[in-house]
Amino acid sequence: MKDMQAHLQRLRNEAEECELISKLATNGTKKALFAKLAEHHRSLVKEVEEAITASPLIPSD
């Protein structure tokens, strides 16, 4: 369970970092790329959260 939580936190951090880079980028292509990466990471966060809560083998905290 701690591994899943650690991975979840890592994904959240990466989403935040990509969002920040997107906001700071001056190149339009890079801005769009990092915005898309941030969106993808947020999607992964949601999927991992759902997997944690849906799994009967993994106790949720």
Side-chain angles (χ1 to χ4, degrees):
M1 178 64 176
K2 291 185 188 246
D3 290 343
M4 294 279 286
Q5 292 293 340
H7 186 68
L8 186 59
Q9 188 57 45
R10 202 171 315 125
L11 286 171
R12 286 181 180 136
N13 290 342
E14 289 175 6
E16 291 175 15
E17 289 174 7
C18 287
E19 185 74 31
L20 178 60
I21 292 170
S22 174
K23 289 179 180 179
L24 296 175
T26 56
N27 178 304
T29 303
K30 288 183 181 179
K31 184 179 280 287
L33 172 67
F34 281 96
K36 188 171 183 176
L37 285 171
E39 180 181 334
H40 179 69
H41 279 87
R42 285 191 295 269
S43 174
L44 292 173
V45 165
K46 184 177 178 183
E47 287 182 33
V48 172
E49 287 173 337
E50 289 172 355
I52 289 171
T53 58
S55 177
L57 299 176
I58 303 173
S60 58
D61 296 329

